[in-house]
Amino acid sequence: NNRVVVLDNFSYGSNNNKTVLRMKEIRANKLRNRGVTVVKGNLCDEDLLRRLFVHYDFTHVAHLAAKTGVMAIKECTTRLHP
């Protein structure tokens, strides 16, 4: 049984434009309507990631997260892998 789980913090870089955020919510609802699990959360939240991996017993992971600003990514990586 294959299942797709999407983890997204629903931010839009440093510009959290309400129209763009609303579009992301609409897309998330379309995914949910097709059986995709959409989780609102942060990729840097170790506890959330741990719970998701235990609950879903993933066999594959595709990392498509992106954020403007190299420092934000560096901070996340440092927290996950000190």
Side-chain angles (χ1 to χ4, degrees):
N1 185 359
N2 293 326
R3 180 172 192 120
V4 175
V5 178
V6 173
L7 172 64
D8 197 325
N9 66 2
F10 289 85
S11 71
Y12 183 67
S14 60
N15 179 14
N16 283 322
N17 179 305
K18 290 183 189 275
T19 302
V20 174
L21 295 177
R22 180 68 187 130
M23 290 302 297
K24 287 185 94 171
E25 289 284 354
I26 289 169
R27 288 186 194 119
N29 286 331
K30 286 181 179 181
L31 289 171
R32 286 183 188 105
N33 290 338
R34 293 179 177 219
V36 174
T37 300
V38 179
V39 177
K40 186 173 182 179
N42 191 312
L43 182 64
C44 294
D45 183 340
E46 287 183 68
D47 292 330
L48 174 60
L49 289 177
R50 203 171 277 115
R51 289 192 312 269
L52 290 173
F53 271 83
V54 167
H55 183 76
Y56 292 102
D57 193 27
F58 297 120
T59 58
H60 296 78
V61 174
H63 181 306
L64 304 175
K67 187 170 184 176
T68 56
V70 175
M71 292 307 293
I73 294 169
K74 182 178 178 184
E75 289 168 11
C76 179
T77 303
T78 301
R79 282 188 293 227
L80 290 175
H81 304 285

